[in-house]
Amino acid sequence: RDFLEDELVFKMFEECTSIIMSPLCRAVQTGLLCLQDHPRLWSHGAHLLRWAREIKMSTTWLDCVGAELGSGIKRRSLEKLRGRLEAPAIEKLRHICFDDHSVQSTWWTLAFDSNKGAQRVDHIMNFLKYSKSRVITLVGHSALFRKIFASYSDDISVCTARRGHLLESLETK
């Protein structure tokens, strides 16, 4: 909430032209709940992007493993909300469309590989860089965002230089 009180951030949020989510259940749930009133989610849906999933930081991070493919991801995410949301709210969210093209086959890894995290960050940054969308909302995970900021902080600084304190806000929140 405090972050969106920044006028520029809120304006960018409103002008979002694309919504991308990690295909992991908790990110899909977060995206659906936090963006449920965003007009772009209803008009164009969300893109489930395999590279936006959490970065597995060790062999014990079992919550980085997917359980579903394609349309099963939305179904499972909504099922897990039963008992936490009333049935009409879940039914409403069921009508949101997802582009699940990148998660039609196994999109998670079971093994820990420190090089894979860097490769995935490069994939997602290239996807964002060459996207036709001007403003993108990315729903992902903390380790992924930390890795993006660690790897691309100079590029992000250049992109946000005209936006004053935006980078500092992103780094501290």
Side-chain angles (χ1 to χ4, degrees), residues 89-100:
I90 293 173
E91 190 54 38
K92 179 183 173 189
L93 295 174
R94 200 175 303 285
H95 296 286
I96 294 171
C97 296
F98 282 91
D99 173 355
D100 55 18

Side-chain angles (χ1 to χ4, degrees), residues 90-140:
I90 293 173
E91 190 54 38
K92 179 183 173 189
L93 295 174
R94 200 175 303 285
H95 296 286
I96 294 171
C97 296
F98 282 91
D99 173 355
D100 55 18
H101 178 76
S102 83
V103 293
Q104 290 296 323
S105 60
T106 303
W107 48 266
W108 59 88
T109 56
L110 297 176
F112 169 68
D113 181 350
S114 60
N115 295 326
K116 294 287 185 192
Q119 283 179 337
R120 200 143 30 89
V121 166
D122 288 341
H123 280 297
I124 197 162
M125 291 303 287
N126 284 325
F127 182 90
L128 296 173
K129 181 178 179 180
Y130 295 108
S131 171
K132 293 178 183 176
S133 296
R134 197 173 69 78
V135 179
I136 298 171
T137 297
L138 175 61
V139 181

Side-chain angles (χ1 to χ4, degrees), residues 12-47:
M12 290 172 65
F13 176 75
E14 285 183 323
E15 293 176 0
C16 169
T17 54
S18 184
I19 296 172
I20 298 171
M21 296 180 192
S22 160
L24 285 167
C25 184
R26 67 186 184 274
V28 173
Q29 291 171 328
T30 299
L32 288 172
L33 294 175
C34 292
L35 301 170
Q36 65 183 313
D37 295 323
H38 199 290
R40 194 67 181 188
L41 187 62
W42 290 99
S43 65
H44 290 80
H47 181 88

